[in-house]
């Protein structure tokens, strides 16, 4: 069902905000037909739903559109069986810590069912990595080439290009925790002969550490959750067009790999559910008011056996340094009367 991933340099498919008139006379029967898959994976609904007006970090235009989204609902149709359709009201699922694990923490809360009751964020991370490794092994050479090109673009960019789009570019390196002492010794040797420490560290890390530039290295990278049990530490080199800007050596080993589009697609495939990321952008993103909320779909590479779940992303710069920060959305199945408008048809 399609390639493993899309080229990350291409535009992602976006479902824009729209307010269509939808005839829902058959919704009740369709929802009944879809009842089995909805019931077993409905997330736990908070006793006191947080109004979008009370969610911090949102501008008025965002609050207005997200409130309308909750009041009117989102109509989801099964991608294969169009007779199965459900309307969901999307409520805010609460804040999660911005510790690098937010994708998996938010996904756990949004998914509901047995996953929310028994799985940890780290377990979801490792299941995504295992799904990636298995699918990569089964992929053809062309698909593997697309995967590795996307990984290099994200984590090992060509520092001779791309400056028309990016002011700062990051290079991710991995070091085995057990190798730290030897790396420090080599860095100190260069410092003792007169090299500036940051440049010495950059030289040693690029020579001796693992670049995140292919499938196996991505699996190692995405396995890192910032806990003592991790095998590797993440080292981040940040560059401007003039050269090295900063060096984050992550000596306490707490840095986790932020979830990316590849990881989201792996989650979708592992659980056979579509995942929709709902992005709410403010005035700093230079979008007009009617388009400040939109949906980014991530579809599994297998059949869809359960209803979708939704993740929320506040717009530009929310997590600092341009990192994406995910929060949970609680999708509540809703019964609507015939001819009622829904906010979005997925």
């Amino acid at each position: 069902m399609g390639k493993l991933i899309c080229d990350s340099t291409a535009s992602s498919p976006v479902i824009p905000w729209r307010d269509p008139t939808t005839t829902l006379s058959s919704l009740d029967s369709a929802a009944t037909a879809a009842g089995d898959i909805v019931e077993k994976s409905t997330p736990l609904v908070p006793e006191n739903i947080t109004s979008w007006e009370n969610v911090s970090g949102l501008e008025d235009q965002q609050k207005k559109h997200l409130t309308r989204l909750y009041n009117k609902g989102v109509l989801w149709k099964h991608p294969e069986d169009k007779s199965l359709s459900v309307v969901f009201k999307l409520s805010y699922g609460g804040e999660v810590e911005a510790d690098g694990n937010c994708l998996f923490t938010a996904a756990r809360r949004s998914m509901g069912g047995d996953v929310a009751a028994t799985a940890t964020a780290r377990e979801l991370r490792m299941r995504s990595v295992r799904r990636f490794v298995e699918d990569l092994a089964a992929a053809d050479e062309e698909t593997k080439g697309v995967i590795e090109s996307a990984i290099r673009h994200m984590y090992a960019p060509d520092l001779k290009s791309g400056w028309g789009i990016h002011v700062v570019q990051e290079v991710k390196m991995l070091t085995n925790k057990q190798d730290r002492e030897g790396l420090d010794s080599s860095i100190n040797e260069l410092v003792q002969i007169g090299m500036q420490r940051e440049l010495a560290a950059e030289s040693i890390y690029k020579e001796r550490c693992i670049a995140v530039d292919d499938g196996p290295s991505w699996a190692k990278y995405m396995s890192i959750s910032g806990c003592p049990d991790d095998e590797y530490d993440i080292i981040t080199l940040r560059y401007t067009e003039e050269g090295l800007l900063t060096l984050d050596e992550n000596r306490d080993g707490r840095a986790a790999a932020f979830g990316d589009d590849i990881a989201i697609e792996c989650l979708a495939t592992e659980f056979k559910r579509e995942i929709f990321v709902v992005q709410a952008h403010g005035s700093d993103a230079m979008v007009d008011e009617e388009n400040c909320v939109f949906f980014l779909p991530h579809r599994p590479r297998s059949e869809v056996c359960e209803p979708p779940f939704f993740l929320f992303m506040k717009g530009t710069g929310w997590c600092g340094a341009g990192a994406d920060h995910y929060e949970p959305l609680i999708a509540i199945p809703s019964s609507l009367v015939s001819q009622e408008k829904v906010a979005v048809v997925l």
Side-chain angles (χ1 to χ4, degrees):
M1 185 176 172
K3 291 186 176 181
L4 185 63
I5 60 169
C6 295
D7 184 348
S8 66
T9 61
S11 299
S12 299
V14 173
I15 299 176
W17 182 280
R18 56 189 184 278
D19 196 11
T21 300
T22 305
T23 301
L24 299 174
S25 58
S26 62
L27 180 62
D28 288 340
S29 60
T32 300
D36 290 341
I37 61 173
V38 171
E39 182 178 357
K40 66 181 180 181
S41 56
T42 298
L44 182 64
V45 179
E47 292 183 4
N48 298 311
I49 294 175
T50 301
S51 166
W52 283 109
E53 288 292 331
N54 297 324
V55 177
S56 62
L58 295 177
E59 297 179 6
D60 288 342
Q61 66 177 16
Q62 296 168 311
K63 292 178 179 180
K64 173 184 174 183
H65 280 72
L66 290 164
T67 298
R68 183 162 57 140
L69 186 67
Y70 174 79
N71 289 335
K72 294 189 173 183
V74 173
L75 175 61
W76 173 76
K77 295 182 179 181
H78 193 287
E80 282 83 38
D81 187 349
K82 301 300 183 182
S83 67
L84 299 180
S85 58
V86 184
V87 172
F88 294 102
K89 290 192 170 186
L90 301 182
S91 67
Y92 183 62
E95 295 182 358
V96 298
E97 190 174 352
D99 60 355
N101 295 298
C102 60
L103 168 63
F104 305 100
T105 304
R108 174 182 175 273
R109 196 178 298 177
S110 295
M111 291 173 72
D114 292 340
V115 172
T118 61
T120 66
R122 192 165 192 266
E123 288 169 347
L124 291 185
R125 178 188 287 277
M126 298 312 297
R127 288 184 67 169
S128 298
V129 171
R130 285 194 295 269
R131 171 54 51 198
F132 173 83
V133 171
E134 291 175 7
D135 288 352
L136 181 67
D140 57 39
E141 291 303 315
E142 180 182 359
T143 301
K144 289 179 181 178
V146 172
I147 296 168
E148 297 196 344
S149 176
I151 292 170
R152 285 193 297 272
H153 176 76
M154 288 189 286
Y155 301 114
D158 180 359
L159 297 178
K160 296 179 180 179
S161 60
W163 298 112
I165 301 173
H166 305 284
V167 177
V168 176
Q169 297 197 69
E170 291 188 350
V171 174
K172 297 291 185 182
M173 310 291 294
L174 306 179
T175 180
N176 193 298
K177 289 179 181 290
Q178 298 179 349
D179 294 339
R180 280 284 193 178
E181 187 175 341
L183 292 172
D184 286 343
S185 177
S186 297
I187 292 169
N188 289 334
E189 288 178 7
L190 294 180
V191 171
Q192 289 171 6
I193 62 174
M195 184 177 288
Q196 183 181 346
R197 188 182 187 292
E198 276 202 342
L199 296 179
E202 176 195 23
S203 175
I204 294 299
Y205 289 146
K206 292 178 75 171
E207 176 186 343
R208 304 260 295 272
C209 294
I210 301 171
V212 183
D213 58 4
D214 60 14
S217 59
W218 182 92
K220 291 182 176 71
Y221 170 73
M222 196 53 62
S223 298
I224 299 173
S225 59
C227 73
D229 293 336
D230 293 330
E231 182 178 0
Y232 295 93
D233 285 338
I234 300 170
I235 294 173
T236 304
L237 296 85
R238 297 186 181 92
Y239 292 88
T240 65
E241 194 169 3
E242 287 72 35
L244 182 66
L245 177 65
T246 62
L247 177 61
D248 183 356
E249 297 183 81
N250 182 30
R251 290 193 168 276
D252 58 7
R254 293 183 181 178
F258 283 90
D260 57 22
D261 285 344
I262 302 174
I264 297 176
E265 186 177 284
C266 291
L267 268 178
T269 303
E270 176 72 7
F271 292 97
K272 299 182 179 181
R273 302 176 69 171
E274 293 180 292
I275 302 174
F276 292 91
V277 177
V278 182
Q279 291 198 359
H281 284 271
S283 56
D284 59 342
M286 296 184 292
V287 294
D288 60 78
E289 184 174 340
E290 287 303 310
N291 292 302
C292 69
V293 175
F294 55 88
F295 291 68
L296 292 173
H298 298 267
R299 297 188 167 93
R301 300 179 301 275
S302 58
E303 61 180 337
V304 174
C305 296
E306 296 189 39
F309 67 91
F310 299 81
L311 300 171
F312 181 56
M313 186 189 294
K314 295 171 183 172
T316 42
W318 167 248
C319 203
D324 294 336
H325 180 70
Y326 298 93
E327 294 178 329
L329 289 175
I330 306 301
I332 306 168
S334 173
S335 296
L336 301 183
V337 298
S338 176
Q339 302 296 323
E340 187 175 353
K341 289 184 179 180
V342 293
V344 173
V345 179
L346 298 176

